[in-house]
Amino acid sequence: MALTDITGSEVIQAIEEFERLGRARFLRTYQFGRARRYLLSHEGKFYDSKAIVGAAHGYLPGRRHLTAKDFSGGESHAVGLLRRLGFTVVDDPAPSRTQQPPQARQAPQDQLLARLARLKVNRASGRPALYQPIALLWATGRARRGERRLLPWDETEQALRDLLERHGTRGERPRPDYPVSALYHAGLWVLHDHSGPVPKAHGDAALRRWFAENQPLGGVSEPVYDLLRRSGEARVAIIDALLCAYFDGLDYIPLLTDVGLYDEAVADDADVDPADDGAQDTGIPHAVVVAAQYERLCRIVEHRESENRGRRTTRASANPIRSGSARRAVLLRSEGRCENPRCTGQPADVTASGAPILEVDHVMDLAQGGRDHPSHMVALCPNCHAIKTRGRTREDLRATLLDVARERHARWRNSESP
């Protein structure tokens, strides 16, 4: 037995089994009681840390899972191992745990962003290689469309090879095994149906041969897939982080177009069954959560605005990542109500997905000096939108709406609760 042999990939596999079985059955299967103190925090959810490590040991080649009596779960053993692997473990001595520990109150996308920031990438050319970001953007596009999370190796290999050939502008070779292996060892990718340990993303022939011989089934981990599928806010945050970290000075538009991430709807949440929305009660007031979401979306808008300063092309000015993020922020800020203070009543009906019938509009057209920014945009019901567009009082209404947009934007940016 050697806990130090466990890597992030085995921990992720144990977490996925926990999700499949449920907590009670998982603990019963591996002969553990509920954690009395330490909880593993991952993608906004919490797991019994010692039980996860015991199950993870069983995913090592030729090893068995460990039971509670086989090892210690304290800071010098299981907890220390998880933290060295980059996972967050919270100290929660309360026996009931009816609320989430304050130390772990972090948005799931912020946890994922922190893990992306720790990725190890090749910088032999002096600039970060694009292998892993290209693979992650491809997986994000698939998650957004609700396509299969796990694919046979030949399908993954073909798709990533094509993308690397078209968009690997820093000397990347068409070798999908490099990013998949690296992301696997970073705990963001899972591989099934293979024998023997997955080799590190180094070398040449041995790595290629392992994938060719094993033909693993793989894709991003289930928690990451679910987050990227459901949350438009998380999706654009991950896209923005990858663009800022890896694509500085590059034309990323063809790549985002290829993987299906270059349109305004990329910031929209997926339509999901409300009873199966994957939400967790973090104990944080709802108003504070929504205000934080608004702030994050505004930052993405401003990143994209800053990037496009000085560019004169129409394609650069009409950035759907920016406009989609701004649109999503305005809808959050509206809280489902028309933002026209003179509104005489928006429709009582809702859309097929249960959302209020609202249209996000620029107070001033972009061609007339308007901005793709929440401070220049409002959410309007169809009646008020028609008045603003072609009503006799439209010029007066536009002046009012610009004041409203600026005031509401400032209020939401300057306080934790609107």
Side-chain angles (χ1 to χ4, degrees):
M1 179 196 79
L3 292 184
T4 53
D5 292 338
I6 297 172
T7 69
S9 59
E10 286 82 40
V11 174
I12 292 296
Q13 290 179 79
I15 288 172
E16 290 190 329
E17 184 177 5
F18 187 110
E19 290 291 332
R20 289 194 302 272
L21 298 180
R23 186 183 194 188
R25 186 178 172 193
F26 181 86
L27 295 176
R28 188 166 59 250
T29 298
Y30 288 103
Q31 303 174 51
F32 283 86
R34 289 176 176 253
R36 288 178 291 182
R37 182 169 182 179
Y38 295 106
L39 293 174
L40 166 63
S41 171
H42 181 70
E43 307 295 354
K45 297 183 180 181
F46 297 86
Y47 306 88
D48 304 83
S49 59
K50 187 177 179 181
I52 290 292
V53 170
H57 193 271
Y59 281 102
L60 289 167
R63 306 290 182 86
R64 63 170 181 84
H65 73 268
L66 303 176
T67 62
K69 66 178 183 294
D70 292 327
F71 67 107
S72 170
E75 293 189 4
S76 300
H77 297 86
V79 171
L81 167 73
L82 291 169
R83 287 174 174 162
R84 286 193 298 274
L85 291 174
F87 292 94
T88 299
V89 181
V90 297
D91 186 349
D92 178 29
S96 63
R97 282 184 211 91
T98 55
Q99 294 184 340
Q100 302 293 2
Q103 304 95 313
R105 290 176 179 173
Q106 184 182 34
Q109 64 265 29
D110 289 340
Q111 296 184 28
L112 178 54
L113 287 168
R115 299 184 70 183
L116 295 182
R118 295 194 297 268
L119 287 179
K120 297 179 180 179
V121 299
N122 187 306
R123 294 177 179 268
S125 65
R127 305 294 296 276
L130 303 179
Y131 290 106
Q132 293 180 73
I134 286 175
L136 287 168
L137 289 170
W138 171 70
T140 300
R142 291 183 53 79
R144 179 198 178 188
R145 296 185 295 274
E147 296 174 359
R148 286 179 298 159
R149 180 174 67 89
L150 302 177
L151 288 178
W153 174 244
D154 60 342
E155 295 184 35
T156 297
E157 183 181 32
Q158 184 62 57
L160 288 180
R161 180 188 290 116
D162 291 347
L163 288 172
L164 288 167
E165 287 177 341
R166 290 197 297 272
H167 306 292
T169 57
R170 291 186 175 145
E172 291 80 7
R173 299 161 62 193
R175 289 286 301 273
D177 46 336
Y178 287 154
V180 168
S181 172
L183 292 170
Y184 171 85
H185 287 286
L188 294 170
W189 209 275
V190 295
L191 294 171
H192 300 301
D193 302 341
H194 62 83
S195 60
V198 179
K200 296 290 183 69
H202 302 298
D204 196 341
L207 183 64
R208 186 199 298 266
R209 184 169 56 251
W210 187 92
F211 277 90
E213 292 175 352
N214 283 273
Q215 295 291 308
L217 184 72
V220 290
S221 68
E222 188 171 4
V224 171
Y225 177 91
D226 287 344
L227 179 66
L228 295 175
R229 180 176 70 86
R230 297 170 185 275
S231 172
E233 179 200 348
R235 206 177 300 126
V236 294
I238 272 53
I239 295 169
D240 185 65
L242 291 173
L243 296 183
C244 290
Y246 297 99
F247 292 86
D248 183 35
L250 299 178
D251 183 5
Y252 54 78
I253 295 174
L255 170 60
L256 292 186
T257 302
D258 265 5
V259 298
L261 295 174
Y262 204 64
D263 61 84
E264 287 192 15
V266 71
D268 293 348
D269 288 346
D271 291 336
V272 296
D273 183 347
D276 186 37
D277 63 3
Q280 266 195 317
D281 180 9
T282 63
I284 306 174
H286 176 70
V288 175
V289 172
V290 176
Q293 292 173 338
Y294 185 82
E295 173 66 24
R296 285 190 290 265
L297 288 165
C298 287
R299 289 176 185 170
I300 292 169
V301 171
E302 288 153 8
H303 285 170
R304 298 296 106 212
E305 269 194 327
S306 174
E307 177 195 53
N308 288 333
R309 286 196 184 112
R311 297 188 183 184
R312 296 182 180 274
T313 65
T314 301
R315 194 169 65 163
S317 62
N319 186 317
I321 306 299
R322 181 182 70 234
S323 56
S325 301
R327 176 177 171 273
R328 175 66 179 157
V330 172
L331 286 172
L332 281 173
R333 185 186 71 197
S334 74
E335 299 179 300
R337 296 187 293 273
C338 178
E339 292 190 305
N340 178 12
R342 305 175 190 171
C343 180
T344 57
Q346 71 185 74
D349 202 357
V350 295
T351 67
S353 62
I357 298 178
L358 291 172
E359 301 166 6
V360 176
D361 195 32
H362 296 86
V363 179
M364 294 178 61
D365 293 341
L366 294 177
Q368 297 176 341
R371 294 171 62 195
D372 264 335
H373 192 279
S375 64
H376 282 226
M377 300 165 70
V378 286
L380 300 174
C381 70
N383 293 334
C384 291
H385 186 222
I387 296 171
K388 182 260 180 189
T389 303
R390 57 184 184 274
R392 185 172 59 185
T393 59
R394 61 183 179 275
E395 294 302 329
D396 180 52
L397 178 57
R398 284 175 181 168
T400 298
L401 293 178
L402 186 57
D403 288 341
V404 168
R406 288 171 172 168
E407 184 276 329
R408 289 178 64 84
H409 171 72
R411 182 154 49 91
W412 276 65
R413 290 293 297 264
N414 294 330
S415 65
E416 293 185 352
S417 177

